[in-house]
Amino acid sequence: MCRETEWPSAYTGRDIVRDAASALRRRHPGWQIVNIPRYRAHRDYDIPSLLANAQLLIGGGTMCIEAAYYGTPAIATRPVPSRYMEWLFDHHLAVKSLSVARTVRHAKQVMAADRTAAARKRRAAAQRVFRRMNFALDNLVELILQTGSSA
């Protein structure tokens, strides 16, 4: 699965995702590659299901986090560093690639791995990481209510 690059942005020099997808299509015609457009409507795509069932995501940033949540391997091509992407790299939930050659090489490694055992292990690792996270919604609501009543 590929997510179209944020090509109009000032930080994007070239579309690594498109070039990598083209190279992978040529070298592996049997692979099913789904390209999720960025600037056209997504209504025809069930993105959560695609991410949960994909063997790999090649994309920029936000969708890498979503893929990681499902334990789907992600190759991040976002050229600008961000804390959330560093967090993914630190937890081995995504790898960084700023070249077409490296993206293609890593995609081949992921696809060549034992899909069943590797996928189970990845998904279990992702679940452990995300289970440790805590979003204290009750505390946030209480704080908002307290702030609103004291105004």
Side-chain angles (χ1 to χ4, degrees), residues 50-118:
L50 286 171
L51 286 171
N53 293 295
Q55 291 174 296
L56 172 67
L57 169 74
I58 301 171
T62 305
M63 285 190 77
C64 289
I65 293 172
E66 296 171 30
Y69 177 79
Y70 293 110
T72 299
I75 301 173
T77 61
R78 188 173 194 267
V80 176
S82 67
R83 185 59 205 128
Y84 69 90
M85 291 307 299
E86 293 300 324
W87 183 87
L88 288 177
F89 304 146
D90 291 348
H91 288 86
H92 308 287
L93 296 171
V95 296
K96 185 176 188 173
S97 179
L98 299 180
S99 76
V100 173
R102 182 166 183 212
T103 301
V104 168
R105 189 169 49 253
H106 189 70
K108 286 170 52 174
Q109 290 170 350
V110 169
M111 297 300 285
D114 173 14
R115 294 178 190 151
T116 306

Side-chain angles (χ1 to χ4, degrees), residues 8-43:
S9 65
Y11 62 77
T12 302
R14 75 185 260 225
D15 190 353
I16 292 172
V17 174
R18 184 179 312 200
D19 293 345
S22 293
L24 289 167
R25 274 190 189 98
R26 281 192 309 276
R27 294 176 189 171
H28 305 281
W31 289 8
Q32 182 179 9
I33 299 174
V34 177
N35 182 45
I36 303 297
R38 183 177 290 277
Y39 300 106
R40 287 174 274 150
H42 299 99
R43 68 181 170 273

